[in-house]
Amino acid sequence: KQWYQRRVRGDKLETVQSVLSNLLIAHVEIRSEESLDIRPYTHERRVQKVLLKMDGPLAAVRQQYVSKVLDKYFQILTKNKALYSSSTDASNLGKFMLMQQRSSWRARVQGKISSSLSCKIENLFALLITLSHALELLTVHGIGVFLAYSLEQLQKSGWPSNKLQQDFEFTSLIDKIQRWENLGIAPELNNNRYVEHPKLPKLIEILTKHFSSTPDTRAIVFSSYRNSVQRIVKHINEESSQLKATAFVGQSGEKGLKQKQQLRTVKDFKEGKFNTLETQVSAPGGRLFGS
């Protein structure tokens, strides 16, 4: 017999079940920090939640994006009876819900509508799933990550990208964000300072307070989205001379760190060349921090 040990990640039960089925996994064991065989190897930790108000540039971008872009395609799918939702708020849509709705629609209309209409609806679902993911990035990680993802989508080929390129509301919003980023302020918002997300200044505040009282310690900042890591490092280093941050990410991709670079980064971090390490939640090589 061959035995495999694998960490299954997923926010939804259906996502986890899909992984288990695809890998033909028949037996599952669940562990948490409170499991008796895990507790001897974990450190005690205190969790403090900090609630922040979504305001300023982030709130303005989100409101415009939902009302002028996302809602438009939501209404088209609803009018074509391809999408059924108890909420009329397009911002409540999620990728998983949209994929479920698409599967239900496919089952309902199979062999009952023309191929041209079917192709149109399929493309609209694909576009709305992309836009929904962009909204999630905007809400959780900020305007900069949303901008990078949106520009990436505009450069792709295919119907969804072509549709976005022709969408005046979408391209106007992207142009405005790029202008704010270059100016460092948002002229349309009484020249408010351009801040990608309220979490960033709060992060600076928390880290600065920590190092003011315990200067010889280290801090690790985790992000759930790989492409936000470098942006957070840049923000920290630009906003505070007291904080010296560097990134630690896996080997995949152009910006990933090879193993030698990972080892050097960890060494520099331990020796105090950097006092703040920014990494992704699932970054490999956790064993490197053991000593």
Side-chain angles (χ1 to χ4, degrees), residues 15-50:
T15 305
V16 176
Q17 184 58 57
S18 175
V19 174
L20 297 179
S21 300
N22 291 334
L23 294 177
L24 303 178
I25 296 174
H27 178 71
V28 178
E29 293 189 8
I30 299 175
R31 294 290 186 273
S32 71
E33 293 180 351
E34 299 303 318
S35 300
L36 293 178
D37 55 347
I38 298 296
R39 289 172 64 179
Y41 305 100
T42 59
H43 297 282
E44 181 183 354
R45 66 175 182 174
R46 290 176 297 170
V47 178
Q48 179 183 359
K49 292 184 178 181
V50 179

